Amino acid sequence: MGWLFVALAAVFEFIGVIGLNKYSKRKTIPTGFMFLGGFGLSFVFLYSSFQYLQVSTAYAVWIGIGTAGAVLLNMIFFGESKSLARIGSLALIIVGVIGLKALS
Amino acid sequence: MKKAWLYVAATSFFELVWIFGFNVASVWWHWIPIVLFIFVDFHFLSKACETLPTGTVYAIFAAIGTVGTALMDVFFFDQTLSGGKIFFIVLLVAGVIGLKLADGHDEKIAAEGNR
């Protein structure tokens, strides 16, 4: 049950990130709704997962999937740079975020 | 370009403010400024994405939030800073610096291509 909530939280985080990209380019009510609604629901599901899982574990998985997903989605759908230096730096951040959250 | 990084700094700062708020909120009205700060924070987050790649901004946003909460736990809430935590903090900082350099490089190439 807890992992289902984490999965839902990650999916809504992706929606929030896509909304963030779209909203920053065109500030309309639908894009703003996607941006804030995505992140809002993501937090709600993450918070719900805390009832079943350890906070640090749920947090680490959520933020790791979310950050990696944000990067990949933007590379695939919005044509962001796929340079090796960028991918390497992002990998460091993702590993660091997951590791630090898992320990906290 | 410079301005965009100021927005990244602003969104990271306000993120830490509301995370701190989450930790110390004890009365219902504390949540009013917290929610306000979240909206201000997300405003700057979207401003930063107007000129920088969203993937970059979001990764840095997550990184600073993570390092910030870990340090906040140590300095304000009496937790210990283990070797493992320090290792991941160094990794994160290296990643953020690398990303800033990499994107700066990509931008230069793009600017030259546009000429």
Side-chain angles (χ1 to χ4, degrees):
Chain A
M1 194 64 191
W3 291 112
L4 182 71
F5 282 132
V6 174
L8 281 170
V11 168
F12 280 104
E13 196 183 5
F14 293 164
I15 293 173
V17 167
I18 295 172
L20 167 62
N21 186 311
K22 287 186 179 294
Y23 178 76
S24 67
K25 286 175 187 143
R26 276 189 66 229
K27 296 196 169 35
T28 61
I29 292 172
T31 57
F33 189 74
M34 197 179 170
F35 171 34
L36 295 177
F39 280 115
L41 283 173
S42 181
F43 280 123
V44 169
F45 283 117
L46 177 68
Y47 203 75
S48 311
S49 78
F50 291 166
Q51 286 185 306
Y52 305 91
L53 301 169
Q54 230 188 323
V55 173
S56 60
T57 314
Y59 222 122
V61 172
W62 172 76
I63 204 163
I65 296 178
T67 313
V71 168
L72 290 175
L73 287 172
N74 279 292
M75 278 183 186
I76 296 167
F77 295 114
F78 300 104
E80 288 188 0
S81 159
K82 298 179 190 70
S83 76
L84 213 60
R86 188 164 189 263
I87 292 172
S89 309
L90 287 164
L92 278 184
I93 293 180
I94 292 160
V95 171
V97 163
I98 295 173
L100 194 55
K101 281 287 181 212
L103 292 178
S104 306
Chain B
M1 167 61 206
K2 268 265 171 59
K3 212 167 167 192
W5 286 98
L6 277 180
Y7 289 136
V8 174
T11 189
S12 304
F13 172 74
F14 286 111
E15 183 189 15
L16 296 179
V17 172
W18 66 258
I19 292 174
F20 181 75
F22 263 73
N23 280 316
V24 294
S26 49
V27 213
W28 68 268
W29 62 263
H30 285 172
W31 293 96
I32 297 172
I34 292 173
V35 169
L36 226 68
F37 276 119
I38 293 179
F39 276 101
V40 172
D41 182 32
F42 276 60
H43 167 71
F44 283 117
L45 181 62
S46 77
K47 289 296 272 184
C49 292
E50 282 175 9
T51 34
L52 291 171
T54 306
T56 296
V57 175
Y58 194 69
I60 292 178
F61 178 75
I64 295 190
T66 308
V67 172
T69 23
L71 294 179
M72 235 185 261
D73 283 345
V74 174
F75 291 109
F76 298 141
F77 305 109
D78 286 329
Q79 290 220 4
T80 53
L81 196 58
S82 64
K85 279 188 198 173
I86 294 172
F87 171 76
F88 287 120
I89 288 175
V90 171
L91 219 60
L92 271 170
V93 172
V96 170
I97 294 171
L99 198 52
K100 188 172 184 308
L101 294 176
D103 279 351
H105 182 69
D106 287 347
E107 255 163 37
K108 227 160 80 193
I109 292 172
E112 274 160 14
N114 284 337
R115 261 197 314 222

